[in-house]
Amino acid sequence: SFPAAWTLNGVSTPHNTGLSPMDRVFIGSPDGYPKPQTPEVLPRTLVLGARALKVRLTTPGQEDLYRMQVAIPGLTYLQTMGSTDVLLTLYGPAHPTQLVAQDDNSGYKQQARLRRWLVPGTYRVQVRHATPTGTGAYGLKAWQPVEEVAWPA
């Protein structure tokens, strides 16, 4: 079961004591997440406050994964740039598959943008095209506005 606090829509699921046929198909499918971490797909580093990364989705279905370290609690922005329509997903900090937030088109035109208060920890950021067959270039930037960071006493 999933408590309502774990979902984006606030709806919980009932307790389940067994795996349904659909559960078994999903677990064994290539859509199960997280995907195996081979050296070729280990997360790249996304540094808060650094210049935007310029990246290209070259293969349909490609998922780019980034590791982001948050040292100071505060309001944090993640934003994509460019003309490629991408989805942006944030996981962590307690576990690399714990969903924090997801966005499609909250930024300029078809760009993704997240605005969340984050606690210190290591987060995973996933970027993928909005359509299963899509490819294209995008930019990715993360930052914390100085005036909205909780400075330690």
Side-chain angles (χ1 to χ4, degrees):
S1 73
F2 292 101
W6 288 8
T7 65
L8 296 176
N9 62 0
V11 176
S12 65
T13 61
H15 181 67
N16 183 1
T17 59
L19 295 175
S20 70
M22 184 181 290
D23 292 337
R24 292 176 194 279
V25 169
F26 177 76
I27 291 168
S29 77
D31 294 326
Y33 200 80
K35 293 188 177 185
Q37 296 288 304
T38 63
E40 296 81 39
V41 295
L42 285 176
R44 293 175 48 186
T45 300
L46 176 64
V47 178
L48 281 173
R51 297 180 111 182
L53 297 174
K54 295 179 182 178
V55 190
R56 178 170 290 279
L57 295 169
T58 57
T59 307
Q62 177 179 335
E63 296 176 352
D64 289 347
L65 194 58
Y66 301 89
R67 179 181 177 272
M68 181 179 72
Q69 189 68 40
V70 174
I72 300 171
L75 188 63
T76 307
Y77 291 86
L78 291 102
Q79 184 169 322
T80 62
M81 294 153 271
S83 59
T84 304
D85 186 8
V86 296
L87 300 173
L88 182 63
T89 307
L90 180 64
Y91 299 96
H95 194 275
T97 59
Q98 178 183 348
L99 179 64
V100 174
Q102 187 174 47
D103 185 69
D104 184 4
N105 294 326
S106 292
Y108 179 72
K109 291 193 176 184
Q110 295 182 340
Q111 293 307 300
R113 184 172 192 250
L114 292 173
R115 178 183 183 266
R116 289 288 185 276
W117 185 271
L118 299 181
V119 298
T122 302
Y123 293 83
R124 303 279 183 174
V125 178
Q126 179 196 61
V127 180
R128 62 183 174 89
H129 201 281
T131 62
T133 58
T135 61
Y138 69 92
L140 177 62
K141 184 170 180 62
W143 73 96
Q144 287 181 318
V146 175
E147 66 276 4
E148 298 186 57
V149 173
W151 296 101

